[in-house]
Amino acid sequence: MTGERTATLDDVARAAGVSRATASRVVTGQGPASPRARDRVTAAVEELGYVPDASARALVTRTGTRLAIAVIGHTAAVLDDPYVGRVLISAAHVAAEREVGVSLHWLPLDDPGSLARLADGRGLGGLVVVNPTRPALESVPRTLRGRVAAVGVGARHVPSFDVDNRAGTDGVVRHLVRTGRHRIAMVTGPAWLPCCDRAVDAYRRVLRDSGAEPRIVHGDFTAARGAEAATEIMARWPDTDAVFALSDLTALGVLDGLHALGVRVPGDVAVAGFDDIAFAGLSRPALTTTTHPVEDIAAAAAQAVLDRRDTSGATFYPSALVVRDSA
């Protein structure tokens, strides 16, 4: 290859006309690839003078060989959230293509310094923070700056990737209003998560536009809290005709709680969620919700860290309304 720049695996993939993942499998000798693809990648490697494992060796010499996924929460139970599993799997796919390992960690919400201690670990090549808070991100040592990204909006100096839950919430609540629901309650997420504020603001705005009063109860993204919230909502506002929950798990809990109270869905009360998880379409009635492209968001965060992409600021991904039987 001519010029000053050293050939990369991306260069090899383009020259061979294959995906980066296929090129990586051929170069490392791990995983399936057709004979034709192997021949084309091998020829591209020779033509470009590509040195195998360049990205991995760069991580060894500059920063490490491991991408850490750090999830902030009250307890280690946060790691059991299906949302975290989706983030981990998507980030792992990106890391595997770059021959980098992945580790999963819980960071206590009341101990922001735990992020700095994790950053000091041996072999750490980069860090993706899930459920970021400003105090935690501000504790990241300068030596790790440029190698940290957040899934969720955090500090300005850290590239952040998140769903546009303001627009998503707006779409869901306006759908409820259009279908004749005007006494709409909302079950929020954890108050310490900045992303929840955007959704609550959108909910309040739609209700204000429709001449209705907000009915807000706090949630924690769990089904158990959703069931409790359903009981609380019907006790405080018996005339409620719709409930919007800021997570599908919570919305499924709301469905269960309303069923236990003898409330018909959607006949008496419509229910909608946020995320469009796999189980949303399997509930009875099937759950109306709005999408959350977790896989795309997590992949972008991992790529920003491992490829040293200059993506400062926040990047928001769109959310699309999915209408089903519950609302």
Side-chain angles (χ1 to χ4, degrees), residues 211-270:
E213 293 294 324
R215 305 177 175 195
I216 298 175
V217 298
H218 294 292
D220 60 5
F221 293 158
T222 67
R225 176 54 190 152
E228 294 170 355
T231 300
E232 181 179 341
I233 288 168
M234 299 313 294
R236 293 176 62 183
W237 306 290
D239 63 342
T240 294
D241 60 11
V243 178
F244 165 60
L246 196 52
S247 88
D248 282 350
L249 280 179
T250 301
L252 293 175
V254 170
L255 285 176
D256 189 51
L258 292 176
H259 176 74
L261 294 171
V263 177
R264 296 174 304 152
V265 178
D268 299 323
V269 177

Side-chain angles (χ1 to χ4, degrees), residues 27-107:
V27 168
T28 61
Q30 299 179 353
S34 68
R36 184 167 179 266
R38 291 185 183 280
D39 290 343
R40 294 173 67 174
V41 171
T42 300
V45 166
E46 294 176 356
E47 178 184 353
L48 299 175
Y50 172 71
V51 179
D53 300 334
S55 61
R57 278 205 304 275
L59 284 171
V60 171
T61 57
R62 293 177 55 193
T63 58
T65 56
R66 174 171 54 90
L67 174 66
I69 310 298
V71 187
I72 297 176
H74 280 294
T75 71
V78 70
L79 300 181
D80 298 328
D81 191 320
Y83 169 75
V84 173
R86 294 171 67 186
V87 170
L88 179 64
I89 291 171
S90 296
H93 283 310
V94 173
E97 291 179 355
R98 291 151 179 80
E99 296 122 34
V100 177
V102 175
S103 58
L104 179 64
H105 308 264
W106 164 55
L107 299 182

Side-chain angles (χ1 to χ4, degrees), residues 70-318:
V71 187
I72 297 176
H74 280 294
T75 71
V78 70
L79 300 181
D80 298 328
D81 191 320
Y83 169 75
V84 173
R86 294 171 67 186
V87 170
L88 179 64
I89 291 171
S90 296
H93 283 310
V94 173
E97 291 179 355
R98 291 151 179 80
E99 296 122 34
V100 177
V102 175
S103 58
L104 179 64
H105 308 264
W106 164 55
L107 299 182
L109 177 63
D110 58 359
D111 183 14
S114 61
L115 184 57
R117 292 192 293 274
L118 174 61
D120 287 337
R122 291 187 59 185
L124 185 66
L127 184 63
V128 173
V129 183
V130 182
N131 299 341
T133 64
R134 185 175 297 276
L137 293 181
E138 289 179 346
S139 73
V140 174
R142 292 188 178 277
T143 55
L144 202 61
R145 297 290 172 86
R147 294 185 283 122
V148 181
V151 173
V153 176
R156 290 182 179 179
H157 65 274
V158 174
S160 302
F161 304 85
D162 204 356
V163 64
D164 186 356
N165 67 354
R166 184 188 300 275
T169 295
D170 182 277
V172 172
V173 181
R174 289 192 187 279
H175 166 74
L176 294 173
V177 172
R178 285 194 303 270
T179 55
R181 312 288 175 160
H182 299 286
R183 298 178 297 278
I184 305 169
M186 178 181 185
V187 187
T188 69
W192 55 269
L193 270 180
C195 66
C196 297
D197 295 337
R198 301 194 306 269
V200 172
D201 288 345
Y203 161 81
R204 288 183 179 275
R205 184 178 61 248
V206 175
L207 263 62
R208 184 175 61 248
D209 293 345
S210 64
E213 293 294 324
R215 305 177 175 195
I216 298 175
V217 298
H218 294 292
D220 60 5
F221 293 158
T222 67
R225 176 54 190 152
E228 294 170 355
T231 300
E232 181 179 341
I233 288 168
M234 299 313 294
R236 293 176 62 183
W237 306 290
D239 63 342
T240 294
D241 60 11
V243 178
F244 165 60
L246 196 52
S247 88
D248 282 350
L249 280 179
T250 301
L252 293 175
V254 170
L255 285 176
D256 189 51
L258 292 176
H259 176 74
L261 294 171
V263 177
R264 296 174 304 152
V265 178
D268 299 323
V269 177
V271 176
F274 197 115
D275 287 331
D276 195 26
I277 63 174
F279 295 112
L282 300 178
S283 66
R284 292 294 177 266
L287 184 65
T288 288
T289 183
T290 190
T291 60
H292 187 164
V294 177
E295 287 75 15
D296 292 341
I297 292 168
Q303 289 164 2
V305 170
L306 296 178
D307 297 345
R308 306 295 189 268
R309 294 184 178 178
D310 183 11
T311 53
S312 57
T315 301
F316 291 99
Y317 286 69

